[in-house]
Amino acid sequence: MKHVTVFSIAMAFSFGASANLIVDKSGVDEKDFVYDMHQCEEMASQVQKDTRSRGALGGALRGAAVGAAGSAIAGGSGSQGAKTGAAVGGAVGVVGGSRDRRANQADYEAQVHQVMRNCMTNRGYTVLN
């Protein structure tokens, strides 16, 4: 029970990637494991998030401009067509910006997990996922 408690406390203080890391700890001293996990978390915290995203506002503005121009070129009725095109383009731009952020977050989480996995493997642990 003592081993489970120490492990649970260590996991409570760790961030998402290590909580998802499954490590075979058979024959390993719990203190060494917690120390190694902490060291690997420190390394994994150096992974940088990709912030190159159009963002909701930028995507909406670009989408609105393209939508308005497309509607006017396609023969929309003057300013009403441009307004409709801008509204549709703005909505598409917001969705595109959200998709970029989700993709960046997923890539970030995968990189953090890979750093944790490599670090623990290099320290002699068998990582199962």
Side-chain angles (χ1 to χ4, degrees):
M1 185 67 181
K2 181 179 177 183
H3 289 72
V4 173
T5 304
V6 171
F7 182 71
S8 299
I9 291 170
M11 291 297 105
F13 289 109
S14 63
F15 59 97
S18 61
N20 294 327
L21 202 63
I22 301 171
V23 179
D24 181 9
K25 302 184 302 173
S26 59
V28 175
D29 181 30
E30 195 68 31
K31 289 179 184 176
D32 291 339
F33 175 79
V34 171
Y35 177 78
D36 289 338
M37 181 68 81
H38 176 72
Q39 292 293 314
C40 291
E41 287 171 348
E42 289 294 318
M43 285 185 216
S45 70
Q46 297 175 27
V47 173
Q48 299 291 315
K49 277 191 178 181
D50 185 9
T51 58
R52 293 175 296 157
S53 172
R54 294 184 304 192
L57 182 59
L61 292 175
R62 279 190 286 280
V66 169
S71 180
I73 292 170
S77 60
S79 65
Q80 185 58 35
K83 288 178 187 175
T84 303
V88 170
V92 169
V94 168
V95 171
S98 296
R99 185 176 51 240
D100 287 346
R101 283 189 303 281
R102 283 191 306 273
N104 288 346
Q105 182 64 27
D107 184 51
Y108 168 75
E109 290 171 6
Q111 287 182 30
V112 168
H113 183 80
Q114 187 65 42
V115 169
M116 286 294 299
R117 187 178 199 297
N118 291 344
C119 181
M120 292 300 283
T121 300
N122 290 340
R123 290 173 184 257
Y125 295 94
T126 301
V127 179
L128 303 174
N129 65 338

